[in-house]
Amino acid sequence: MSNGIGTRESGVSAARDYVTNGTFKAELARRVAVPSESPREDSGPDHRRYLTQEIAPDLEAMGFTTRILENPAAERLPVLFAERIEDAALPTILTYGHGDVLWGMGGDWKEGRDPFRLDEADGRLFGRGTVDNKGQHTINIAALRCVLEAKGKLGFNVKVMIEMGEESGSPGLVEIAAAHRDLFAADVLIASDGPRTAPGTPTMFLGARGGMGFHLIADERPGAYHSGNWGGLLVNPGIRLAHALATITDAKGRLAIREWTPGEIPENVRKALSTISLEPDASDPETDPEWGEPGLVGPDQVFGWSSFEILAYTCGRPEAPVNAVPGNARATCQLRYVVGVETDRILPALREHLDAHGFQDIAIEPMKRGFFTATRTDPDNEWVRLVAASIEQTTGKVPAILPNLGGSLPNEIFVETLGMPTVWVPHSHRACGQHAPDEHMLLSVAEEAAMMMAGIFHDIGERTA
């Protein structure tokens, strides 16, 4: 590989060295050490420290101007905006990341690891935020730096958004984006979050499934009554709610509320999914090929269809059961849905379904936060083709292109509020342990990811030259 100044190879080589020489590990260690747990109510100082002491100085050293945007919904969850404008006539790229994490879960990690202290073992970097999302946006910022140092310029404009509330449902982010549309205006979002389809498979996804959470409640009466005296006379809310839930899917998880499905998978989406292989990891749970919509294979179920989940179910006092008919039962539920499902019809369709099945007494209570709209960039978009070709040139591998992520992201803010196509290039893997103890990034993926991103940024600059 040539290391000529200003060449594609020099930038890609510098990005590889950034990971292999330990610089990435050192930068990530500092960032993991900031306990930026967004669900923690007193986390505000940690969030500001992450943005102003970790991210802003790196960007300013690259010629970016930076500012903090206050969050109208939650003061403790600010947003960093940065921009580097080379020429107003050039295309502008927006990139995104989130510096907040979920609970560290200290004490639950193997080998006695501290979630906020980076630890390397067996080709893995362990620590909360290593993949979700500190490690991913750290790689992308470094790749920009490598290309800039190699070429002396990027050949395009860059804007950066780093939020601190994604793990809490991104409260206030849509209001910030709407209030600053001109500030965030760009031709495309290129960012990183989520997992690859397999550790060794470069992956792109073009949107995200939507997520809507709600509670179903059977509230029959105040208090509980002795089951010996009242059993057989009083409606049991646990039984009532269980039967209501059983009408939503069949015994194999097929959705009975057809408005919750797209009806069919578009042909270009199905074609893209036909090339995807979900390679299992040794730690993955065993899947059931008969679960979900009949006739759909794994990638179609996860990326092309909707799924209903019961996340929690309580009736009475599970921690201390007593001989009494309880007064109420509650199920916390979630629908993951794709483009083609009307968001505004999800809960009305559920109400109509329950009423039609005789469950007028079951109440629906929407969750207060955690809603994401389903989004998807057309797989034939020119930015999709550019990024895919660049990845193949760097790695020699044809990337897996997912029409959308199986999970949820605030992608609708970029697509709907800011009006741009979105291309995500994830640097994680499915068995990474995000949201759980032992979260980790594979060093092999980090190395390939840094090279890929440097190649993408170089190629965007050359395209506009």
Side-chain angles (χ1 to χ4, degrees):
M1 178 179 289
S2 169
N3 288 315
I5 299 298
T7 64
R8 188 182 198 278
E9 291 78 9
S10 61
V12 170
S13 178
R16 179 195 60 206
D17 293 344
Y18 163 75
V19 175
T20 60
N21 67 16
T23 306
F24 170 59
K25 179 181 176 181
E27 287 188 347
L28 186 56
R30 294 197 314 268
R31 293 170 185 177
V32 166
V34 181
S36 50
E37 301 159 302
S38 61
R40 181 165 49 84
E41 291 297 328
D42 63 351
S43 59
D46 292 313
H47 294 154
R48 290 182 187 273
R49 176 159 62 98
Y50 185 81
L51 295 179
T52 61
Q53 297 182 26
E54 280 301 323
I55 303 301
D58 272 12
L59 292 172
E60 289 166 359
M62 297 162 57
F64 283 79
T65 59
T66 66
R67 60 186 283 194
I68 296 294
L69 302 177
E70 299 300 335
N71 193 323
E75 183 181 357
R76 65 188 178 84
L77 305 177
V79 173
L80 174 72
F81 171 77
E83 66 178 350
R84 186 179 192 278
I85 305 299
E86 291 189 357
D87 186 332
L90 292 173
T92 299
I93 308 303
L94 175 66
T95 192
Y96 160 92
H98 65 89
D100 66 310
V101 297
L102 279 180
W103 300 106
M105 302 181 184
D108 293 337
W109 293 53
K110 294 177 183 176
E111 310 297 331
R113 291 188 176 96
D114 180 340
F116 298 110
R117 182 175 180 178
L118 196 72
D119 183 42
E120 181 180 353
D122 301 322
R124 294 168 167 82
L125 294 177
F126 290 87
R128 178 61 81 225
T130 49
V131 293
D132 195 14
N133 173 261
K134 295 177 179 180
Q136 301 212 38
H137 62 253
T138 292
I139 285 172
N140 291 357
I141 292 170
L144 281 168
R145 183 171 64 238
C146 289
V147 173
L148 183 59
E149 290 175 351
K151 297 176 63 177
K153 64 177 183 178
L154 293 173
F156 57 93
N157 307 315
V158 183
K159 297 180 179 181
V160 179
M161 174 197 288
I162 305 291
E163 70 155 316
M164 300 303 294
E166 194 271 350
E167 299 294 7
S168 294
S170 298
L173 192 61
V174 67
E175 290 86 353
I176 291 173
H180 299 283
R181 281 191 177 91
D182 292 342
L183 202 64
F184 289 110
D187 294 285
V188 65
L189 174 88
I190 297 179
S192 300
D193 204 346
R196 293 176 164 202
T197 59
T201 303
T203 300
M204 300 162 54
F205 63 87
L206 312 181
R209 283 205 292 186
M212 179 167 287
F214 53 90
H215 307 286
L216 291 182
I217 304 166
D219 193 2
E220 297 295 335
R221 67 193 70 83
Y225 290 81
H226 193 287
S227 58
N229 298 328
W230 293 96
L233 298 175
L234 296 179
V235 172
N236 187 301
I239 294 174
R240 188 76 180 151
L241 182 56
H243 280 273
L245 288 165
T247 70
I248 295 175
T249 77
D250 67 12
K252 284 293 188 179
R254 181 181 187 267
L255 286 167
I257 304 175
R258 301 313 282 176
E259 279 191 73
W260 282 8
T261 78
E264 62 180 7
I265 301 175
E267 184 56 37
N268 63 344
V269 172
R270 187 180 288 276
K271 181 178 178 181
L273 291 175
S274 69
T275 67
I276 303 302
S277 175
L278 298 178
E279 299 178 24
D281 184 273
S283 61
D284 286 353
E286 184 176 353
T287 61
D288 183 346
E290 296 183 2
W291 186 262
E293 184 71 13
L296 298 185
V297 298
D300 292 342
Q301 294 278 14
V302 177
F303 307 118
W305 208 252
S306 305
S307 63
F308 171 70
E309 306 296 341
I310 300 172
L311 306 180
Y313 190 108
T314 55
C315 178
R317 298 181 62 189
E319 74 282 4
V322 295
N323 294 322
V325 181
N328 54 71
R330 182 184 185 93
T332 300
C333 307
Q334 181 187 68
L335 178 70
R336 298 277 189 175
Y337 66 99
V338 296
V339 170
V341 175
E342 277 190 59
T343 304
D344 293 342
R345 281 290 301 161
I346 290 174
L347 294 186
L350 174 60
R351 179 74 275 160
E352 293 163 11
H353 172 86
L354 292 174
D355 290 352
H357 285 78
F359 293 103
Q360 294 88 347
D361 55 318
I362 301 298
I364 304 170
E365 180 183 289
M367 286 187 183
K368 294 180 180 179
R369 60 188 182 186
F371 301 99
F372 295 109
T373 302
T375 54
R376 179 187 293 149
T377 294
D378 192 312
D380 297 323
N381 180 276
E382 62 176 332
W383 288 101
V384 176
R385 295 197 299 269
L386 184 153
V387 173
S390 178
I391 290 173
E392 184 173 0
Q393 182 179 349
T394 300
T395 66
K397 306 173 185 177
V398 176
I401 302 178
L402 303 176
N404 49 262
L405 182 69
S408 301
L409 286 168
N411 202 52
E412 72 271 19
I413 291 170
F414 309 109
V415 174
E416 297 178 0
T417 306
L418 298 177
M420 65 185 72
T422 58
V423 181
W424 296 80
V425 184
H427 307 329
S428 182
H429 63 294
R430 295 170 65 214
C432 66
Q434 70 180 104
H435 296 184
D438 306 311
E439 178 181 349
H440 62 276
M441 175 173 278
L442 297 176
L443 279 168
S444 59
V445 172
E447 180 181 346
E448 186 172 63
M451 296 169 66
M452 282 169 27
M453 297 310 297
I456 290 168
F457 295 139
H458 175 93
D459 293 344
I460 292 172
E462 292 302 300
R463 174 179 177 268
T464 60

